[in-house]
């Protein structure tokens, strides 16, 4: 058991957490801690393949941050906050050059400038990349930068349990040291959550790392911080059929086609201009519609359509999509150089997250608590994120949050003594380990995955969502009877999985309820009983706040549409 004192504690060692920590640590007098439940280089940022967006204009000089912003707002189905989007798009080019100077090995054009590829929903090729391993190289470069700062300490394999939330704001975090099983208290003037997404609530079909369980969102929710726009989940069109593992949008960006069982490029019926490079929500719905109407290959959960890359040729595939080729061979048994690859949509990204009040600071309604990266909802992605806009979001808002903290830390004064938080956490963990229930983590998790995929997936309606909410509430109750079979404290992964499941169930209920109350279709939220977007009643953000006894309160706040008026979304 230990108590530590820092100025800033960042929870999360992915792209968002590392960027925030590096930038705060520019001020050498600020002591920073990074807490991560996995070794930082294993964070999900490392799995990002396709790239990140910035209007550098290297391929088409007409591109501009304004065009990037417009594409983002349109892609978001007009639910994004427009000043925040503009801020991100304006800052994006400078961030790319910063990464370049830090040593990220970006792919290049013939003349040596940074290359850019076309991506879904973008008017010009603007996605900066390193073959199809962009997240990997960014994460490792950021980690090296963080290691080189003397005023950053790492708490690797420490699991966030609670936030020290006092009357006057957040004052630190309580963590479980996974290796020793001990509870630690990290006191700080400011806490930054950068804990990533929660698309693992779709346990049966997701591109996400098994650790993407939304712990930061769930912990924030439990201390009373609202979650925003949780109904908006992104389903990526091209997951491998058997496993849901991602094949990057870069496949289509580099010229791949989607074919149904008749060999038709069916996207011509759904998005005649953009074809396969329409935004993800549209392409995913098109694929599912083809399957439902019998033009997929096979039936039921195993049905799929085909992603054809064969015409790109072996040389281009090896140069631009080497990881994609390997993933298809290893996990689907198909070499894309020789044959089209079976694919189907898969849960990928969470547009919603912890409510951020001001995009310039990333502060939440709880003073001293900040949220950046996928766990946050700023909101720049609205109802549907464009591919390549998450990595850039992490970096832009991570830096902005850090810049604010560097100058304003004195405003967040006293540390709490926090002993009571250690005691509470200790009691909770020992009672969980010693409990003699008869429920199993694996069973509850599987049931959760079936409900989320079947009832609140790509298509939803009133009855499917009601049923989802009720069944998830039952699972949430049953979690209290979970038995942790491993009774030891050292590296107890059984215990960690139980804690993660609790967090996922907490969030899955919020998704179901928020989706049930949004009686319209917009972006990733597609209601079969309300197939049209309804700006009159639903051009607003959902805020979900935790009440007593499992009750969730929903409120709504306006969307910033100060620059572009909503219009019909055609591609
Ligand atoms: C397969 C895949 C490919 C993608 N490709 C792209 C792409 O090409 N372009 C793009 O823009 N976006 C892409 N995305 C989305 C993007 O990669 C993610 O949104 C982004 O990397 C999230 O970064 P993050 O720093 O917010 O979180 P993560 O990188 O997920 O990091 C989360 C961190 O929080 C820590 N953490 C979580 N819970 C706890 C806890 N309880 N206690 C302590 N620490 C905790 C973890 O240890 C980890 O360090 C992709 C996503 C996936 C899944």
């Amino acid at each position: 058991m230990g108590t530590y004192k820092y100025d800033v504690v960042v929870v999360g060692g992915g792209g968002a957490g590392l960027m925030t920590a590096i930038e705060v640590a520019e001020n050498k007098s600020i002591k920073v801690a990074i807490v991560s439940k996995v070794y930082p280089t294993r964070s999900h940022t490392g799995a990002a393949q396709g790239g990140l967006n910035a209007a550098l204009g290297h391929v088409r000089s007409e591109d501009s941050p304004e065009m990037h912003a417009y594409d983002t707002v349109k892609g978001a189905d007009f639910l994004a906050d427009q000043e925040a989007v503009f801020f991100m798009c304006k800052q994006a080019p400078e961030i790319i050059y910063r990464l370049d100077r830090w040593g990220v090995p970006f792919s290049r054009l013939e003349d040596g400038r940074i290359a850019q590829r076309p991506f879904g929903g973008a008017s010009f090729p603007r996605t900066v990349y390193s073959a199809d391993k962009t997240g990997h190289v960014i994460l490792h470069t950021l980690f090296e930068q963080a290691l080189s700062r003397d005023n950053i300490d790492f708490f690797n394999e420490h699991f966030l349990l609670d936030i020290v939330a006092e009357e006057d704001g957040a004052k630190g975090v309580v963590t479980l040291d996974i290796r020793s099983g001990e509870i630690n208290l990290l006191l700080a003037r400011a806490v930054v959550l950068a804990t990533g997404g929660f698309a693992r609530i779709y346990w049966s079909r997701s591109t996400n790392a098994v650790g993407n369980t939304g712990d930061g969102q769930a912990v924030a929710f439990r201390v009373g911080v609202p979650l925003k726009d949780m109904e908006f989940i992104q389903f990526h069109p091209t997951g491998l059929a058997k496993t849901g593992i991602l094949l990057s949008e870069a496949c289509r960006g580099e010229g791949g086609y989607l074919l149904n069982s008749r060999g038709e490029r069916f996207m011509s019926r759904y998005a005649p201009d953009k074809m396969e490079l329409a935004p993800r929500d549209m392409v995913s719905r098109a694929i599912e519609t083809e399957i439902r109407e019998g033009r997929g290959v096979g039936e039921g959960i195993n049905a799929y359509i085909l992603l054809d890359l064969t015409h790109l040729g072996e040389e281009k595939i090896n140069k631009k999509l080497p990881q994609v080729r390997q993933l298809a061979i290893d996990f689907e048994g198909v070499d894309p150089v020789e044959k089209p690859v079976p694919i189907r949509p898969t849960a990928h990204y969470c547009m919603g997250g912890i409510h951020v009040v001001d995009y310039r600071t990333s502060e939440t309604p709880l003073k001293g608590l900040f949220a950046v990266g996928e766990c946050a909802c700023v909101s720049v992605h609205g109802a549907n994120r464009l591919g390549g806009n998450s990595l850039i979001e992490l970096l832009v808002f991570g830096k902005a949050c850090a810049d604010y903290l560097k100058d304003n830390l004195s405003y967040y004064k006293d540390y709490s003594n926090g002993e009571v938080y250690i005691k509470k956490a200790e009691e909770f963990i020992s009672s969980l380990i010693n409990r003699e229930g008869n429920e199993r983590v694996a069973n509850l998790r599987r049931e959760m995955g079936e409900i989320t995929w079947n009832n609140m997936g790509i298509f939803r309606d009133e009855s499917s969502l009601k049923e989802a909410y009720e069944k998830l509430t039952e699972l949430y109750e049953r979690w209290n009877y979970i038995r942790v079979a491993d009774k030891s404290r050292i590296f107890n992964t059984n215990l960690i999985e139980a804690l993660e499941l609790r967090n996922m169930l907490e969030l899955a209920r919020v998704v179901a309820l928020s989706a049930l109350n949004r009686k319209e279709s917009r972006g990733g939220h597609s209601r079969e009983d309300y197939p049209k977007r309804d700006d009159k009643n639903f051009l607003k953000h959902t805020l979900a706040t935790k009440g007593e006894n499992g009750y969730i309160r929903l409120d709504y706040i306006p969307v910033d549409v100060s620059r572009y008026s909503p219009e019909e979304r055609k591609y």
Side-chain angles (χ1 to χ4, degrees):
M1 207 165 321
T3 300
Y4 303 84
K5 283 192 172 175
Y6 284 91
D7 296 302
V8 178
V9 169
V10 178
V11 187
L18 291 174
M19 186 70 177
T20 312
I22 294 165
E23 295 288 344
V24 174
E26 284 293 294
N27 180 338
K28 300 271 182 293
S29 67
I30 298 180
K31 273 183 71 192
V32 185
I34 296 180
V35 177
S36 177
K37 69 177 174 180
V38 297
Y39 196 74
T41 47
R42 299 179 68 97
S43 304
H44 190 64
T45 296
Q49 300 173 5
L52 68 170
N53 300 336
L56 307 179
H58 285 178
V59 177
R60 292 277 298 278
S61 58
E62 313 93 287
D63 200 9
S64 65
E66 288 74 21
M67 279 309 298
H68 183 187
Y70 174 73
D71 288 342
T72 300
V73 168
K74 182 177 171 190
D77 223 346
F78 293 88
L79 197 77
D81 286 334
Q82 298 185 4
E83 284 304 327
V85 172
F86 260 78
F87 178 79
M88 176 176 85
C89 299
K90 283 235 162 72
Q91 304 294 317
E94 182 47 41
I95 290 281
I96 299 294
Y97 296 127
R98 204 177 189 83
L99 293 182
D100 192 43
R101 286 195 293 275
W102 282 345
V104 173
F106 287 124
S107 295
R108 300 277 160 172
L109 297 170
E110 291 283 297
D111 64 9
R113 287 176 307 153
I114 293 171
Q116 300 192 272
R117 64 168 39 129
F119 242 47
S123 302
F124 300 106
R126 106 172 29 109
T127 304
V128 172
Y129 61 96
S130 293
D132 57 0
K133 299 174 180 169
T134 315
H136 179 86
V137 297
I138 290 177
L139 186 64
H140 281 256
T141 306
L142 291 176
F143 186 52
E144 284 166 15
Q145 291 294 327
L147 284 177
S148 73
R149 309 296 199 269
D150 292 337
N151 47 337
I152 299 181
D153 288 345
F154 283 91
F155 289 74
N156 297 333
E157 298 178 329
H158 280 243
F159 189 94
L160 171 72
L161 291 174
D162 201 0
I163 295 168
V164 176
E166 306 272 89
E167 284 280 293
D168 57 341
K171 298 280 184 261
V173 295
V174 183
T175 67
L176 175 74
D177 180 344
I178 301 174
R179 274 174 286 188
S180 67
E182 285 180 356
I183 306 285
N184 286 316
L185 177 66
L186 279 76
L187 296 171
R189 290 160 183 257
V191 174
V192 182
L193 294 179
T195 50
F198 60 94
R200 265 289 147 194
I201 64 168
Y202 293 83
W203 193 261
S204 38
R205 211 172 157 70
S206 172
T207 63
N208 277 205
V210 285
N212 284 11
T213 52
D215 304 333
Q217 295 88 323
V219 169
F221 187 58
R222 283 199 283 269
V223 298
V225 177
L227 301 178
K228 185 158 76 194
D229 292 342
M230 294 288 279
E231 59 272 42
F232 297 102
I233 304 286
Q234 176 162 83
F235 295 87
H236 195 291
T238 58
L240 286 174
K242 288 181 187 148
T243 52
I245 290 172
L246 180 77
L247 292 193
S248 171
E249 188 159 302
C251 298
R252 287 167 288 135
E254 295 296 343
Y257 301 150
L258 295 174
L259 303 175
N260 64 17
S261 59
R262 300 175 186 168
E264 295 164 339
R265 275 183 79 186
F266 56 86
M267 281 310 298
S268 61
R269 280 200 291 282
Y270 303 89
D273 283 350
K274 286 247 182 258
M275 295 290 286
E276 283 86 355
L277 284 178
R280 291 176 177 171
D281 56 334
M282 292 187 167
V283 183
S284 288
R285 281 195 292 275
I287 295 172
E288 286 298 307
T289 305
E290 291 296 300
I291 291 175
R292 280 174 161 202
E293 295 180 357
R295 293 184 296 275
V297 183
E299 279 181 0
I301 184 86
N302 297 320
Y304 58 83
I305 61 118
L306 293 164
L307 171 66
D308 192 356
L309 302 175
T310 54
H311 54 285
L312 303 182
E314 184 163 10
E315 196 186 328
K316 183 166 180 180
I317 291 177
N318 284 346
K319 188 162 170 221
K320 297 284 185 70
L321 305 167
Q323 186 179 196
V324 162
R325 183 177 185 189
Q326 202 59 51
L327 288 171
I329 293 172
D330 290 346
F331 294 97
E332 198 70 29
V334 174
D335 184 348
V337 169
E338 288 163 9
K339 280 204 311 200
V341 188
I343 58 97
R344 183 157 190 187
T346 172
H348 181 58
Y349 181 85
C350 307
M351 269 73 76
I354 301 166
H355 176 37
V356 161
V357 180
D358 183 345
Y359 68 87
R360 288 160 298 197
T361 65
S362 287
E363 194 160 10
T364 72
L366 178 64
K367 186 178 167 192
L369 182 71
F370 299 77
V372 290
E374 192 172 338
C375 75
C377 182
V378 172
S379 120
V380 285
H381 309 303
N384 173 63
R385 172 177 74 90
L386 291 188
N389 264 354
S390 173
L391 292 177
I392 198 67
E393 180 203 358
L394 315 177
L395 306 168
V396 167
F397 292 102
K399 179 171 185 307
C401 172
D403 287 346
Y404 169 76
L405 280 175
K406 261 187 316 201
D407 296 339
N408 295 283
L409 210 51
S410 57
Y411 173 63
Y412 300 92
K413 287 209 175 58
D414 301 313
Y415 298 110
S416 142
N417 80 26
E419 293 302 320
V420 37
Y421 288 87
I422 298 196
K423 196 159 167 268
K424 196 175 110 194
E426 187 54 56
E427 280 168 13
F428 172 64
I429 293 296
S430 11
S431 76
L432 182 54
I433 291 183
N434 295 325
R435 184 192 291 169
E436 284 303 330
N438 52 9
E439 296 283 3
R440 300 270 158 173
V441 171
N443 294 345
L444 260 58
R445 209 166 49 189
R446 198 193 56 245
E447 286 182 47
M448 173 189 71
E450 283 164 10
I451 299 165
T452 50
W453 183 259
N454 294 331
N455 289 41
M456 47 195 237
I458 296 167
F459 294 107
R460 306 128 179 228
D461 64 23
E462 179 96 10
S463 71
S464 76
L465 290 166
K466 256 196 185 133
E467 187 180 65
Y469 181 72
E470 283 159 14
K471 286 188 169 173
L472 289 165
T473 302
E474 272 169 35
L475 292 185
Y476 186 68
E477 298 292 324
R478 280 168 59 195
W479 183 87
N480 291 312
Y481 302 93
I482 275 211
R483 177 177 143 79
V484 176
D486 180 354
K487 303 289 176 200
S488 78
R489 293 297 284 257
I490 314 271
F491 232 101
N492 189 341
T493 50
N494 194 199
L495 171 68
I496 296 298
E497 287 180 357
L499 294 168
E500 290 176 333
L501 176 62
R502 173 173 177 243
N503 292 337
M504 286 192 284
L505 289 170
E506 188 98 73
L507 301 183
R509 288 181 72 234
V510 178
V511 175
L513 193 68
S514 305
L516 184 60
N517 276 269
R518 185 173 283 277
K519 297 181 182 354
E520 64 157 354
S521 288
R522 184 188 294 270
H525 173 66
S526 182
R527 291 273 306 240
E528 296 194 276
D529 44 353
Y530 297 96
K532 291 229 153 47
R533 194 175 83 194
D534 177 358
D535 287 337
K536 193 159 158 275
N537 295 306
F538 286 102
L539 185 59
K540 54 190 184 185
H541 297 294
T542 309
L543 286 187
T545 311
K546 191 173 167 79
E548 297 289 319
N549 301 324
Y551 173 73
I552 300 166
R553 194 184 77 219
L554 295 184
D555 299 295
Y556 292 89
I557 56 169
V559 179
D560 165 19
V561 286
S562 49
R563 290 178 182 253
Y564 301 114
S565 301
E567 59 195 47
E568 194 189 344
R569 208 161 144 246
K570 285 198 193 131
Y571 289 94

